[in-house]
Amino acid sequence: MDCIFCKIVGGEIPTTLVGESVHSIAFKDIAPKQPIHILVVPREHHGNVAELAFANPEALVDLVQLGSKLAAEYSTGAFRLTFNTGAAAGQTVFHAHGHITSNTPKK
Ligand code: 5GP
Ligand code: ZN
């Protein structure tokens, strides 16, 4: 499968990793839309967050926990966690991922 986030998870494409957990990795978005813009991505391939939620709820909770920890580390605590789901909603990479965005960086 030609999936860019599977390649990042597998180390085939380099990225700026900012965190990892049992089921997830986190890295900086290549085109940040806010001062803090981190992607949290399950290691396992699922097409979007809805598919992830039904197939592996434990991995989804793990992803939210990793994102929350990084949001607390990188921002003053005010952040968004968004999951674009479907092309018409702006999804461009069809491997589930959450965007952690914040306007209030800590560092
Ligand atoms: P979506 O539009 O699917 O919700 O989000 C995909 C995100 O992945 C976009 O914000 C885009 O900038 C980011 N992105 C796409 N390709 C790469 C890449 O190769 N490396 C990184 N770090 N981010 C990427
Ligand atoms: Zn994938």
Side-chain angles (χ1 to χ4, degrees), residues 4-5 8 13-16 27-33 37 39 83-84 90-94 97 99:
I4 195 161
F5 286 179
I8 288 176
I13 293 179
T15 191
T16 312
F27 50 90
K28 291 195 176 172
D29 196 292
I30 204 167
K33 288 164 191 74
H37 192 164
L39 299 175
F83 297 91
N84 297 328
Q91 187 177 2
T92 58
V93 176
F94 294 88
H97 57 279
H99 297 253

mmCIF file of all heavy atoms in Angstrom, residues 4-5 8 13-16 27-33 37 39 83-84 90-94 97 99, ligand 1:
data_model
loop_
_atom_site.group_PDB
_atom_site.id
_atom_site.type_symbol
_atom_site.label_atom_id
_atom_site.label_comp_id
_atom_site.label_asym_id
_atom_site.label_seq_id
_atom_site.Cartn_x
_atom_site.Cartn_y
_atom_site.Cartn_z
ATOM 1 N N ILE A 4 1.689 7.355 2.873
ATOM 2 C CA ILE A 4 2.804 8.182 3.356
ATOM 3 C C ILE A 4 2.988 8.057 4.876
ATOM 4 O O ILE A 4 4.128 8.019 5.367
ATOM 5 C CB ILE A 4 2.618 9.652 2.901
ATOM 6 C CG1 ILE A 4 3.894 10.426 3.063
ATOM 7 C CG2 ILE A 4 1.490 10.340 3.605
ATOM 8 C CD1 ILE A 4 3.936 11.690 2.246
ATOM 9 N N PHE A 5 1.897 7.947 5.628
ATOM 10 C CA PHE A 5 2.054 7.855 7.086
ATOM 11 C C PHE A 5 2.534 6.468 7.505
ATOM 12 O O PHE A 5 3.263 6.346 8.498
ATOM 13 C CB PHE A 5 0.770 8.269 7.804
ATOM 14 C CG PHE A 5 0.529 9.772 7.791
ATOM 15 C CD1 PHE A 5 -0.617 10.316 8.389
ATOM 16 C CD2 PHE A 5 1.434 10.651 7.213
ATOM 17 C CE1 PHE A 5 -0.836 11.690 8.380
ATOM 18 C CE2 PHE A 5 1.221 12.032 7.204
ATOM 19 C CZ PHE A 5 0.074 12.552 7.782
ATOM 20 N N ILE A 8 6.171 6.829 7.146
ATOM 21 C CA ILE A 8 6.760 7.581 8.260
ATOM 22 C C ILE A 8 6.841 6.677 9.491
ATOM 23 O O ILE A 8 7.883 6.616 10.165
ATOM 24 C CB ILE A 8 5.954 8.877 8.530
ATOM 25 C CG1 ILE A 8 6.220 9.881 7.397
ATOM 26 C CG2 ILE A 8 6.319 9.479 9.887
ATOM 27 C CD1 ILE A 8 5.425 11.176 7.474
ATOM 28 N N ILE A 13 10.384 7.300 5.491
ATOM 29 C CA ILE A 13 10.393 8.739 5.189
ATOM 30 C C ILE A 13 10.758 9.455 6.485
ATOM 31 O O ILE A 13 10.140 9.195 7.525
ATOM 32 C CB ILE A 13 9.007 9.214 4.687
ATOM 33 C CG1 ILE A 13 8.687 8.585 3.332
ATOM 34 C CG2 ILE A 13 8.925 10.727 4.607
ATOM 35 C CD1 ILE A 13 7.334 8.978 2.772
ATOM 36 N N PRO A 14 11.771 10.341 6.449
ATOM 37 C CA PRO A 14 12.187 11.019 7.676
ATOM 38 C C PRO A 14 11.164 12.058 8.134
ATOM 39 O O PRO A 14 10.422 12.623 7.319
ATOM 40 C CB PRO A 14 13.499 11.710 7.275
ATOM 41 C CG PRO A 14 13.436 11.833 5.798
ATOM 42 C CD PRO A 14 12.556 10.740 5.278
ATOM 43 N N THR A 15 11.123 12.295 9.434
ATOM 44 C CA THR A 15 10.216 13.300 9.986
ATOM 45 C C THR A 15 10.789 13.802 11.304
ATOM 46 O O THR A 15 11.763 13.255 11.820
ATOM 47 C CB THR A 15 8.806 12.708 10.190
ATOM 48 O OG1 THR A 15 7.902 13.765 10.468
ATOM 49 C CG2 THR A 15 8.763 11.702 11.324
ATOM 50 N N THR A 16 10.166 14.865 11.845
ATOM 51 C CA THR A 16 10.581 15.373 13.154
ATOM 52 C C THR A 16 9.676 14.753 14.202
ATOM 53 O O THR A 16 8.593 15.265 14.491
ATOM 54 C CB THR A 16 10.447 16.919 13.186
ATOM 55 O OG1 THR A 16 11.055 17.439 12.023
ATOM 56 C CG2 THR A 16 11.098 17.506 14.424
ATOM 57 N N PHE A 27 4.483 13.629 15.225
ATOM 58 C CA PHE A 27 5.519 14.392 14.533
ATOM 59 C C PHE A 27 4.952 15.730 14.098
ATOM 60 O O PHE A 27 3.733 15.928 14.047
ATOM 61 C CB PHE A 27 6.099 13.602 13.344
ATOM 62 C CG PHE A 27 5.074 13.024 12.401
ATOM 63 C CD1 PHE A 27 4.607 13.737 11.313
ATOM 64 C CD2 PHE A 27 4.574 11.733 12.612
ATOM 65 C CE1 PHE A 27 3.678 13.193 10.434
ATOM 66 C CE2 PHE A 27 3.636 11.179 11.731
ATOM 67 C CZ PHE A 27 3.189 11.912 10.646
ATOM 68 N N LYS A 28 5.867 16.659 13.767
ATOM 69 C CA LYS A 28 5.433 18.000 13.368
ATOM 70 C C LYS A 28 4.836 17.970 11.968
ATOM 71 O O LYS A 28 5.387 17.312 11.074
ATOM 72 C CB LYS A 28 6.617 18.961 13.418
ATOM 73 C CG LYS A 28 7.057 19.192 14.848
ATOM 74 C CD LYS A 28 7.963 20.394 14.978
ATOM 75 C CE LYS A 28 8.279 20.617 16.453
ATOM 76 N NZ LYS A 28 9.309 21.642 16.661
ATOM 77 N N ASP A 29 3.751 18.682 11.781
ATOM 78 C CA ASP A 29 3.156 18.794 10.447
ATOM 79 C C ASP A 29 4.133 19.533 9.529
ATOM 80 O O ASP A 29 4.743 20.537 9.924
ATOM 81 C CB ASP A 29 1.812 19.541 10.524
ATOM 82 C CG ASP A 29 0.985 19.341 9.274
ATOM 83 O OD1 ASP A 29 1.391 19.860 8.199
ATOM 84 O OD2 ASP A 29 -0.060 18.669 9.346
ATOM 85 N N ILE A 30 4.264 19.044 8.310
ATOM 86 C CA ILE A 30 5.211 19.630 7.348
ATOM 87 C C ILE A 30 4.795 21.040 6.918
ATOM 88 O O ILE A 30 5.639 21.834 6.502
ATOM 89 C CB ILE A 30 5.351 18.679 6.128
ATOM 90 C CG1 ILE A 30 6.668 18.882 5.411
ATOM 91 C CG2 ILE A 30 4.174 18.802 5.171
ATOM 92 C CD1 ILE A 30 6.986 17.779 4.402
ATOM 93 N N ALA A 31 3.510 21.350 7.038
ATOM 94 C CA ALA A 31 2.989 22.669 6.639
ATOM 95 C C ALA A 31 2.116 23.212 7.781
ATOM 96 O O ALA A 31 0.882 23.193 7.683
ATOM 97 C CB ALA A 31 2.188 22.550 5.353
ATOM 98 N N PRO A 32 2.766 23.673 8.865
ATOM 99 C CA PRO A 32 1.992 24.053 10.063
ATOM 100 C C PRO A 32 1.005 25.195 9.811
ATOM 101 O O PRO A 32 1.347 26.175 9.155
ATOM 102 C CB PRO A 32 3.072 24.471 11.077
ATOM 103 C CG PRO A 32 4.310 24.678 10.282
ATOM 104 C CD PRO A 32 4.208 23.851 9.041
ATOM 105 N N LYS A 33 -0.204 25.044 10.325
ATOM 106 C CA LYS A 33 -1.240 26.063 10.164
ATOM 107 C C LYS A 33 -1.440 26.878 11.431
ATOM 108 O O LYS A 33 -2.220 27.824 11.456
ATOM 109 C CB LYS A 33 -2.542 25.400 9.724
ATOM 110 C CG LYS A 33 -2.454 24.934 8.280
ATOM 111 C CD LYS A 33 -3.513 23.965 7.857
ATOM 112 C CE LYS A 33 -3.194 23.346 6.506
ATOM 113 N NZ LYS A 33 -2.099 22.342 6.543
ATOM 114 N N HIS A 37 1.640 22.716 15.652
ATOM 115 C CA HIS A 37 0.853 21.843 14.760
ATOM 116 C C HIS A 37 1.543 20.480 14.705
ATOM 117 O O HIS A 37 2.533 20.285 13.988
ATOM 118 C CB HIS A 37 0.724 22.459 13.372
ATOM 119 C CG HIS A 37 -0.294 21.764 12.514
ATOM 120 N ND1 HIS A 37 -0.815 22.319 11.370
ATOM 121 C CD2 HIS A 37 -0.894 20.551 12.628
ATOM 122 C CE1 HIS A 37 -1.687 21.486 10.825
ATOM 123 N NE2 HIS A 37 -1.743 20.392 11.565
ATOM 124 N N LEU A 39 1.008 16.200 14.430
ATOM 125 C CA LEU A 39 0.118 15.119 13.986
ATOM 126 C C LEU A 39 0.320 13.917 14.898
ATOM 127 O O LEU A 39 1.459 13.544 15.196
ATOM 128 C CB LEU A 39 0.430 14.736 12.547
ATOM 129 C CG LEU A 39 0.253 15.853 11.511
ATOM 130 C CD1 LEU A 39 0.713 15.369 10.132
ATOM 131 C CD2 LEU A 39 -1.199 16.331 11.452
ATOM 132 N N PHE A 83 -9.889 15.834 13.610
ATOM 133 C CA PHE A 83 -9.734 14.683 12.720
ATOM 134 C C PHE A 83 -10.546 14.965 11.458
ATOM 135 O O PHE A 83 -11.778 14.800 11.464
ATOM 136 C CB PHE A 83 -10.284 13.414 13.375
ATOM 137 C CG PHE A 83 -9.580 12.967 14.631
ATOM 138 C CD1 PHE A 83 -10.005 13.408 15.878
ATOM 139 C CD2 PHE A 83 -8.502 12.079 14.551
ATOM 140 C CE1 PHE A 83 -9.366 12.967 17.041
ATOM 141 C CE2 PHE A 83 -7.865 11.633 15.706
ATOM 142 C CZ PHE A 83 -8.296 12.086 16.953
ATOM 143 N N ASN A 84 -9.920 15.437 10.402
ATOM 144 C CA ASN A 84 -10.644 15.597 9.140
ATOM 145 C C ASN A 84 -10.983 14.194 8.630
ATOM 146 O O ASN A 84 -10.109 13.326 8.568
ATOM 147 C CB ASN A 84 -9.778 16.331 8.119
ATOM 148 C CG ASN A 84 -9.454 17.738 8.566
ATOM 149 O OD1 ASN A 84 -10.245 18.386 9.254
ATOM 150 N ND2 ASN A 84 -8.273 18.216 8.214
ATOM 151 N N GLY A 90 -11.854 17.815 4.024
ATOM 152 C CA GLY A 90 -10.472 18.298 4.033
ATOM 153 C C GLY A 90 -9.422 17.234 4.290
ATOM 154 O O GLY A 90 -8.233 17.545 4.394
ATOM 155 N N GLN A 91 -9.834 15.962 4.391
ATOM 156 C CA GLN A 91 -8.830 14.909 4.612
ATOM 157 C C GLN A 91 -8.038 14.689 3.329
ATOM 158 O O GLN A 91 -8.624 14.507 2.246
ATOM 159 C CB GLN A 91 -9.494 13.592 5.049
ATOM 160 C CG GLN A 91 -8.469 12.531 5.453
ATOM 161 C CD GLN A 91 -9.105 11.234 5.965
ATOM 162 O OE1 GLN A 91 -10.326 11.098 5.980
ATOM 163 N NE2 GLN A 91 -8.266 10.306 6.386
ATOM 164 N N THR A 92 -6.712 14.726 3.444
ATOM 165 C CA THR A 92 -5.851 14.524 2.277
ATOM 166 C C THR A 92 -4.954 13.299 2.423
ATOM 167 O O THR A 92 -4.446 12.785 1.434
ATOM 168 C CB THR A 92 -4.964 15.759 2.025
ATOM 169 O OG1 THR A 92 -4.171 16.003 3.198
ATOM 170 C CG2 THR A 92 -5.794 16.988 1.701
ATOM 171 N N VAL A 93 -4.723 12.858 3.662
ATOM 172 C CA VAL A 93 -3.929 11.648 3.904
ATOM 173 C C VAL A 93 -4.877 10.619 4.517
ATOM 174 O O VAL A 93 -5.450 10.859 5.595
ATOM 175 C CB VAL A 93 -2.729 11.930 4.837
ATOM 176 C CG1 VAL A 93 -1.988 10.633 5.151
ATOM 177 C CG2 VAL A 93 -1.778 12.951 4.206
ATOM 178 N N PHE A 94 -5.004 9.475 3.837
ATOM 179 C CA PHE A 94 -6.027 8.508 4.238
ATOM 180 C C PHE A 94 -5.450 7.404 5.120
ATOM 181 O O PHE A 94 -5.633 6.214 4.881
ATOM 182 C CB PHE A 94 -6.785 8.013 2.998
ATOM 183 C CG PHE A 94 -7.567 9.164 2.400
ATOM 184 C CD1 PHE A 94 -6.982 10.012 1.475
ATOM 185 C CD2 PHE A 94 -8.838 9.460 2.870
ATOM 186 C CE1 PHE A 94 -7.670 11.124 0.983
ATOM 187 C CE2 PHE A 94 -9.540 10.561 2.393
ATOM 188 C CZ PHE A 94 -8.956 11.396 1.442
ATOM 189 N N HIS A 97 -5.390 10.201 11.498
ATOM 190 C CA HIS A 97 -4.467 11.081 12.227
ATOM 191 C C HIS A 97 -5.244 12.221 12.860
ATOM 192 O O HIS A 97 -6.236 12.696 12.301
ATOM 193 C CB HIS A 97 -3.369 11.645 11.314
ATOM 194 C CG HIS A 97 -3.912 12.395 10.137
ATOM 195 N ND1 HIS A 97 -4.361 11.760 8.997
ATOM 196 C CD2 HIS A 97 -4.101 13.729 9.926
ATOM 197 C CE1 HIS A 97 -4.782 12.655 8.137
ATOM 198 N NE2 HIS A 97 -4.654 13.872 8.679
ATOM 199 N N HIS A 99 -4.931 16.182 14.377
ATOM 200 C CA HIS A 99 -4.123 17.400 14.368
ATOM 201 C C HIS A 99 -4.211 18.027 15.752
ATOM 202 O O HIS A 99 -5.312 18.365 16.206
ATOM 203 C CB HIS A 99 -4.682 18.437 13.389
ATOM 204 C CG HIS A 99 -4.680 18.018 11.950
ATOM 205 N ND1 HIS A 99 -3.807 18.531 11.031
ATOM 206 C CD2 HIS A 99 -5.464 17.141 11.264
ATOM 207 C CE1 HIS A 99 -4.045 18.003 9.834
ATOM 208 N NE2 HIS A 99 -5.051 17.159 9.951
HETATM 209 P P1 5GP B 1 -5.402 16.083 6.484
HETATM 210 O O1 5GP B 1 -5.567 17.152 5.442
HETATM 211 O O2 5GP B 1 -5.461 14.692 5.849
HETATM 212 O O3 5GP B 1 -6.314 16.211 7.666
HETATM 213 O O4 5GP B 1 -3.951 16.263 7.097
HETATM 214 C C1 5GP B 1 -2.800 15.814 6.471
HETATM 215 C C2 5GP B 1 -1.664 16.633 7.044
HETATM 216 O O5 5GP B 1 -0.459 15.930 6.802
HETATM 217 C C3 5GP B 1 -1.526 18.016 6.406
HETATM 218 O O6 5GP B 1 -1.640 19.015 7.419
HETATM 219 C C4 5GP B 1 -0.131 17.983 5.757
HETATM 220 O O7 5GP B 1 0.552 19.213 5.888
HETATM 221 C C5 5GP B 1 0.556 16.854 6.506
HETATM 222 N N1 5GP B 1 1.549 16.118 5.747
HETATM 223 C C6 5GP B 1 1.388 15.594 4.492
HETATM 224 N N2 5GP B 1 2.497 14.949 4.120
HETATM 225 C C7 5GP B 1 3.384 15.045 5.155
HETATM 226 C C8 5GP B 1 4.713 14.581 5.349
HETATM 227 O O8 5GP B 1 5.340 13.921 4.501
HETATM 228 N N3 5GP B 1 5.311 14.875 6.552
HETATM 229 C C9 5GP B 1 4.655 15.588 7.515
HETATM 230 N N4 5GP B 1 5.336 15.831 8.652
HETATM 231 N N5 5GP B 1 3.401 16.048 7.356
HETATM 232 C C10 5GP B 1 2.770 15.795 6.190
#
